[in-house]
Amino acid sequence: MNSFSFYNPVKLIFGKGQLEALKTELPNYGKKVLVVYGGGSIKKNGLYDEVIDTLNQAGLEIFELSGVEPNRVLQRLVKALKSAKKRTSMSCWQSEAVQLLTARS
C-alpha cells in the first residue's frame, strides 16, 4: 500500500431553517458561488428559489451548472471546469488541471 496524507475539512450545516446560515457562512469563502444541481427536482420542490433568494440577499455572484447526472462523466467535469476558469482567477495548478482534462476529453 502507498503511504499518503489526506486532509478534507468539511463543515455541515444541517436542520430546519439552516438555509439562512448561508448568508454569513458563504462570504467566508469568496463572493462567487457555483450552484450545481441535476434534472430539476430542486426547482419543482421550491428549494432552488429559496437558495437563489438567500444567495442574492447575501450579495453573492451566482453561477449555475444544471443537468448534472448521477455517476458523472469526464466530459461534464471538463465543461464545469472550463466555465469556472472563465469566471474566476484560478491558481496555476488549477489552470493546468483544466488544460490536462480538456486535452484528455
Side-chain angles (χ1 to χ4, degrees):
M1 175 185 250
N2 294 329
S3 298
F4 66 92
S5 176
F6 179 72
Y7 177 70
N8 187 20
V10 176
K11 181 174 186 179
L12 298 175
I13 302 172
F14 182 81
K16 189 173 184 174
Q18 293 302 307
L19 190 55
E20 196 68 21
L22 289 178
K23 290 180 188 177
T24 56
E25 188 65 31
L26 289 179
N28 295 325
Y29 302 97
K31 297 179 181 185
K32 298 178 181 183
V33 175
L34 176 62
V35 178
V36 180
Y37 55 95
S41 62
I42 189 173
K43 289 188 174 183
K44 292 176 190 167
N45 67 23
L47 182 59
Y48 173 85
D49 291 331
E50 291 180 48
V51 169
I52 296 300
D53 288 345
T54 301
L55 296 175
N56 282 326
Q57 289 172 21
L60 300 169
E61 188 175 357
I62 304 165
F63 303 97
E64 294 185 42
L65 179 61
S66 61
V68 175
E69 58 280 333
N71 302 318
R72 287 133 332 260
V73 294
L74 178 61
Q75 292 81 5
R76 188 66 174 162
L77 173 62
V78 169
K79 181 179 177 183
L81 289 172
K82 284 181 180 179
S83 177
K85 185 178 179 182
K86 288 178 188 175
R87 294 181 171 95
T88 63
S89 56
M90 295 180 139
S91 69
C92 181
W93 73 266
Q94 290 169 319
S95 182
E96 289 175 10
V98 170
Q99 291 170 3
L100 285 172
L101 286 169
T102 304
R104 294 179 76 189
S105 63

